Structure formats: C-alpha cells, structure tokens
Amino acid sequence: MSAKQPSLFGGAMIIAGTIIGAGMFANPTATSGVWFTGALLVLLYTWFSMLSSGLMILEVNTHYPHGASFDTMVKDLLGKGWNVVNGLAVAFVLYLLTYAYIFVGGDLTAQGLGSLTGSEVALPVGQLVFFGVLACCVWASTRLVDRLTTVLIGGMVITFIWATGGLISTVKLPVLFDTQAAPHTSYWIYAAAALPVCLASFGFHGNVSSLLKYFDGDAPKVAKALKTGTLIALVIYVLWQLAIQGNLPRNEFAPVIAAEGQVSVLIETLSKFVPTGSMDKVLSFFAYMAIASSFLGVTLGLFDYIADMFKWKEYAADRSKTAAVTFLPPLVCCLLFPTGFVTAIGYVGLAATVWTALIPAMLLYKSRRKFGAGKGYCIGGGVWLMVWVFAFGLINIAAQILSQMGIVPVFTG
C-alpha cells in the first residue's frame, strides 16, 4: 500500500499559519491613515502581488530536484552575487522572526505555566519549553508541522470568531467609512506607511519549496494550497479591519498609534465605544496560537533552505545538523539578548521585499529563458506579471525608506 498523500487542506494550513502571525495586530494601526476602504485596496494589492510572486517561485522550483530551495535556484539562474544578496536577506528575515517568536512565545508560555503552577516561571524556562516542543516538530517532519498547524489554525478561527463576532455585529458604517471627517481629509498620502507592514503580513515564500517537496512535486496541488492559504489569511485580515475600524473612529486612533498597536491599548481605547468583555483574554489565546503557527511555518522554510544550502539529506543525522543550524543561533541570541531583535525588526519588511518580490520576478524571467514556458506547471500573466511583481517590490522598498527618513507623512491620529 502506498503512503497516504498529504492533504491540500494541510498544505493550506501551513501557509495560512505562517502568514497570520502577531503582525496581524499591526495592520489596523498601519492602515489607520488610509482607513478601511484604503486598507482593503492595499491588502488586496499586496495579497495578489505576494501570491503571484509565490507562484513564480513554484514554477521555477519545478525545474529543480525536490528539496531545492532559494540557494540552488538563485545560484543557477542569477549567479553567485545575487545568491549572496538573497541569502543574506532570507537569513536576516527568517532568523530574526524566529528570534522574535521565541521571545514573545516564551513570555506567553512562562505566564501560562505560572498561572497553572501558581508560582512565577522564569522567562528562559518559558522560552525553552515553547522552543523545545515546536522545534522538535519541525525536526521530526513536515507532516507533523501540517497536523499541528491545522490544530492551531482551528483554535485561531474559534478564538477569532469569539473575540470579534460581537464587534462585527456592531460595526457602524459612518465610522467604517469615516463619513464624519472634515472636508478634504487626506487618506492616500499615508499609503506608504501601510504598504511595508501589509507586505510583511503576507510572507510565506520560504515554504514554497518545502510544500513542493512535501507534495512530492505535485505543483498544481501546491498552487491550490498557496491560493487557499493566502485567501484564508486575507479574509481574516479584512474581518479584523472591519471589527476594529468599524467601531473605533479614525480620529480616536492616536493612543493606539502611540503604543505601536499594543493589543491592551487597542482594546482599552475600543472599550470606550463598544463593550469588549473578555476580548483581551481571548485575543491572548489567539495571539499565542498565531505566534506558534508562524514559528512552525517560518522555521520550516528556514530548515529546508539550510538543508538545500549545505546539501544535507533527509537522514536523521543530516536533519539533526540542519536543526542545529536552524534553531541554535536564534535560541542562544534570545537567551543572551532577550530584546535585541527590537532594534532590527523594523527592517524585516525591507529585507523580505528582496526575496518575496524582486528575486521571484527575476527568477521567473531567467527560468523561462533557460527552460521555456508551458512545460509542466506554468503561472499565467506573462511578462506583464513579472513587471507587476518587480514594481511592487520597488514601490515597497521606496515606501519603507521614505517613511523611515520622514519624507512621506505618517498618520498619528
């Protein structure tokens, strides 16, 4: 009897789980300047562009052996120079996110263990428990990541509906569309501040090669998983925007922006306009599951990228070496420098743009010149889609740089 084939649903859950991380809580704040209609358009633009670039990576990946990741593809098609640039960008983003997830997830784990035991649990203990359980799942197999992520996404959906169901039913259209705003109120001048955050909220590209290997080269099935997973994330993001921006007026967002989207401040401000009940506790559960599922997805992509770079195989000894290189650097950094990632986290979107937009478009162009189009899986759109995705990357880089330099306006409420 043949081994059971991985399910499309499981693959979609890996993608959705990777995407929907703690960054979701930053979206309403980052898009408060353009408000709901603008946020909807920015999210749709980002979703389409990021999904397209992911499908580009998938098409290119089909021309290489199972398990080949960015290192193999970029080195072969774009050369060693671009491979170094891309490798640094991939390592920076994935290692930094792993570092951040260990810190935040470990903190929540320590709090949870403290509540269960009735005594204070040290942060390093929480970090080691959080890290140990999830890292072992990634080391064991992609199938285990599939199963655990599916459970986490199920929990996220339940807690999300529990937390936002009442808010969505109380949405006020004048608030949602800011109809009481003063004449000539500006919205689109704040788009530059929203774009990089939304891009970082749709990152899944490190998992494309992992899924292609997991699905034994079935590219059409992987494409469906990418489309389904990203669409689930988009729907949750839009519903979250609806719940927040349909109840909390735009001109009342100042304290939330000043607190950089901190959930407790968001709920405290929101409670002045609509009953929030136990929303803070429910969202804490949601955030924990979102961080855990994102940790699994991000480290799975990093794990397979490192295995490809060092040409390590699926044997237990090689997987152990891959796990050591994947997990030990961020764990050691997190234990020695607990909040060191804060100074660098603002550059994640900038680095991610390199390998989620610019490189995929360049890879597809070079791939079609080398291998041709129409052989096996092929994304539609032709050259215009490559130009679209590449331009999307340039626009995001410009938006990030100009925002950090203070050249473009940033909404403060």
Side-chain angles (χ1 to χ4, degrees), residues 145-281:
V145 173
D146 168 348
R147 296 291 183 267
L148 184 53
T149 304
T150 300
V151 172
L152 290 170
I153 289 288
M156 287 164 62
V157 169
I158 292 170
T159 52
F160 181 80
I161 293 172
W162 186 4
T164 63
L167 292 179
I168 291 173
S169 66
T170 59
V171 165
K172 306 169 187 66
L173 293 182
V175 174
L176 188 67
F177 296 107
D178 201 28
T179 57
Q180 305 300 317
H184 310 298
T185 297
S186 298
Y187 295 93
W188 284 108
I189 60 171
Y190 302 111
L195 279 168
V197 175
C198 290
L199 179 144
S201 299
F202 278 101
F204 64 89
H205 298 65
N207 297 99
V208 176
S209 299
S210 302
L211 282 190
L212 189 62
K213 180 176 71 173
Y214 183 44
F215 286 130
D216 197 26
D218 189 344
K221 192 172 183 179
V222 176
K224 290 178 182 177
L226 298 185
K227 292 172 184 175
T228 305
T230 57
L231 191 58
I232 289 170
L234 176 65
V235 169
I236 288 177
Y237 286 159
V238 171
L239 290 175
W240 178 242
Q241 295 282 142
L242 185 70
I244 301 302
Q245 295 182 345
N247 288 285
L248 180 58
R250 184 174 183 259
N251 59 4
E252 298 289 342
F253 241 86
V256 183
I257 296 170
E260 298 183 342
Q262 188 176 332
V263 178
S264 59
V265 177
L266 174 64
I267 294 171
E268 182 184 348
T269 308
L270 191 62
S271 65
K272 299 175 183 177
F273 301 91
V274 62
T276 54
S278 59
M279 185 179 175
D280 55 340
K281 294 182 178 63

Side-chain angles (χ1 to χ4, degrees), residues 31-355:
T31 60
S32 56
V34 294
W35 208 235
F36 182 72
T37 302
L40 196 59
L41 293 174
V42 170
L43 284 170
L44 284 169
Y45 169 58
T46 303
W47 167 75
F48 175 77
S49 302
M50 293 289 273
L51 173 59
S52 297
S53 65
L55 294 173
M56 288 177 178
I57 295 170
L58 175 60
E59 180 183 329
V60 175
N61 218 160
T62 60
H63 298 294
Y64 294 89
H66 296 173
S69 188
F70 275 109
D71 186 73
T72 296
M73 295 185 290
V74 177
K75 189 184 297 179
D76 181 52
L77 294 174
L78 302 179
K80 292 182 179 179
W82 275 111
N83 192 43
V84 170
V85 171
N86 187 73
L88 290 173
V90 169
F92 175 78
V93 173
L94 298 186
Y95 271 125
L96 192 65
L97 288 178
T98 302
Y99 179 0
Y101 289 143
I102 292 172
F103 174 76
V104 179
D107 183 39
L108 292 174
T109 300
Q111 292 177 29
L113 290 174
S115 299
L116 288 174
T117 60
S119 59
E120 187 176 347
V121 174
L123 176 60
V125 174
Q127 291 172 341
L128 288 170
V129 171
F130 175 84
F131 165 86
V133 172
L134 299 182
C136 284
C137 291
V138 176
W139 171 82
S141 70
T142 303
R143 185 176 290 276
L144 188 54
V145 173
D146 168 348
R147 296 291 183 267
L148 184 53
T149 304
T150 300
V151 172
L152 290 170
I153 289 288
M156 287 164 62
V157 169
I158 292 170
T159 52
F160 181 80
I161 293 172
W162 186 4
T164 63
L167 292 179
I168 291 173
S169 66
T170 59
V171 165
K172 306 169 187 66
L173 293 182
V175 174
L176 188 67
F177 296 107
D178 201 28
T179 57
Q180 305 300 317
H184 310 298
T185 297
S186 298
Y187 295 93
W188 284 108
I189 60 171
Y190 302 111
L195 279 168
V197 175
C198 290
L199 179 144
S201 299
F202 278 101
F204 64 89
H205 298 65
N207 297 99
V208 176
S209 299
S210 302
L211 282 190
L212 189 62
K213 180 176 71 173
Y214 183 44
F215 286 130
D216 197 26
D218 189 344
K221 192 172 183 179
V222 176
K224 290 178 182 177
L226 298 185
K227 292 172 184 175
T228 305
T230 57
L231 191 58
I232 289 170
L234 176 65
V235 169
I236 288 177
Y237 286 159
V238 171
L239 290 175
W240 178 242
Q241 295 282 142
L242 185 70
I244 301 302
Q245 295 182 345
N247 288 285
L248 180 58
R250 184 174 183 259
N251 59 4
E252 298 289 342
F253 241 86
V256 183
I257 296 170
E260 298 183 342
Q262 188 176 332
V263 178
S264 59
V265 177
L266 174 64
I267 294 171
E268 182 184 348
T269 308
L270 191 62
S271 65
K272 299 175 183 177
F273 301 91
V274 62
T276 54
S278 59
M279 185 179 175
D280 55 340
K281 294 182 178 63
V282 179
L283 282 181
S284 293
F285 284 116
F286 176 89
Y288 187 76
M289 288 182 284
I291 290 165
S293 64
S294 290
F295 176 92
L296 289 169
V298 164
T299 55
L300 177 63
L302 180 59
F303 187 95
D304 286 336
Y305 174 76
I306 289 169
D308 175 49
M309 183 167 62
F310 291 105
K311 304 303 182 237
W312 286 332
K313 306 300 181 184
E314 287 294 293
Y315 308 119
D318 275 8
R319 286 188 69 86
S320 296
K321 288 190 288 186
T322 306
V325 178
T326 301
F327 295 114
L328 289 183
L331 176 63
V332 170
C333 288
C334 194
L335 293 174
L336 295 180
F337 313 103
T339 58
F341 68 90
V342 174
T343 57
I345 201 77
Y347 298 96
V348 162
L350 191 61
T353 304
V354 173
W355 57 279

